[in-house]
Amino acid sequence: MSQASCIALLRFIGVLFIGISSISMSWAAIDTYEFSSDQQRERFQLLTEELRCPKCQNQNIADSNAPIAVDLRRKIYTMLQAGEPDEAIIDFMQSRYGDFVLYNPPWDHRTWLLWSLPFILLGVGLTVLGRLLWRRRSQAQPQALSEEEKAALTAILKESEKS
């Protein structure tokens, strides 16, 4: 294969790669919403970043490309256009999708363990650490010899002096 044909093949592969990548980029969903004010745009961004995508593991609605996230962004936009306050939008999403959509779920009878578990684990860890240190400290202190041990030690020393 000549040098000219190698260069032509590399150009063809490069053009093909650029063409395929530009086609795949055009398929990406891009939300474009018109807002009446900058304040409304900021509210939209804050709400979409504050709410978690129900399908994705740990991704907010703003960053997710899941179809449900697109629908939720559209719903937030329509609720903002209708003049709904942020609390009403969050309450709607929470009532529809549960506490999972909130990054900070409320404290109630269902979530007390979720909120308390870090402190419980910290307490257990400190207790275990304290017991280990106490046990090590008590083992490190020299203990007095009993009368029998003193007599045995004296006998061993006298025997070693004779030899």
Side-chain angles (χ1 to χ4, degrees):
M1 188 177 235
S2 69
Q3 186 177 5
S5 61
C6 285
I7 292 173
L9 180 63
L10 287 175
R11 284 183 183 168
F12 175 76
I13 292 172
V15 169
L16 185 65
F17 178 76
I18 291 171
I20 290 173
S21 63
S22 66
I23 289 172
S24 65
M25 282 188 242
S26 66
W27 289 340
I30 299 174
D31 297 333
T32 55
Y33 296 114
E34 296 288 328
F35 295 99
S36 58
S37 67
D38 287 337
Q39 180 187 11
Q40 198 175 41
R41 176 179 288 109
E42 288 174 16
R43 283 181 57 205
F44 177 81
Q45 288 174 346
L46 286 174
L47 284 169
T48 57
E49 290 172 359
E50 182 179 324
L51 296 170
R52 185 187 329 227
C53 175
K55 183 178 180 185
C56 307
Q57 285 295 320
N58 200 16
Q59 199 172 22
N60 59 27
I61 295 172
D63 294 336
S64 176
N65 288 329
I68 192 166
V70 174
D71 292 341
L72 292 177
R73 286 193 298 265
R74 189 177 309 120
K75 182 65 177 176
I76 291 172
Y77 176 75
T78 57
M79 291 178 83
L80 282 173
Q81 294 301 317
E84 297 284 335
D86 293 353
E87 294 80 23
I89 296 171
I90 291 172
D91 289 342
F92 170 79
M93 296 295 175
Q94 184 180 6
S95 67
R96 187 149 188 188
Y97 299 102
D99 290 338
F100 180 77
V101 297
L102 303 175
Y103 277 110
N104 293 319
W107 176 277
D108 62 10
H109 68 282
R110 295 174 294 152
T111 59
W112 70 270
L113 185 61
L114 174 72
W115 286 103
S116 304
L117 196 58
F119 300 108
I120 293 169
L121 292 175
L122 180 65
V124 168
L126 289 175
T127 302
V128 168
L129 181 65
R131 284 187 171 201
L132 288 173
L133 291 176
W134 181 262
R135 188 176 296 160
R136 180 178 289 170
R137 183 175 173 212
S138 66
Q139 289 175 353
Q141 292 177 351
Q143 298 177 358
L145 296 175
S146 67
E147 292 301 321
E148 295 170 355
E149 292 170 332
K150 286 180 184 178
L153 183 60
T154 305
I156 293 171
L157 289 174
K158 283 182 182 180
E159 193 175 300
S160 65
E161 287 176 3
K162 292 179 184 178
S163 17

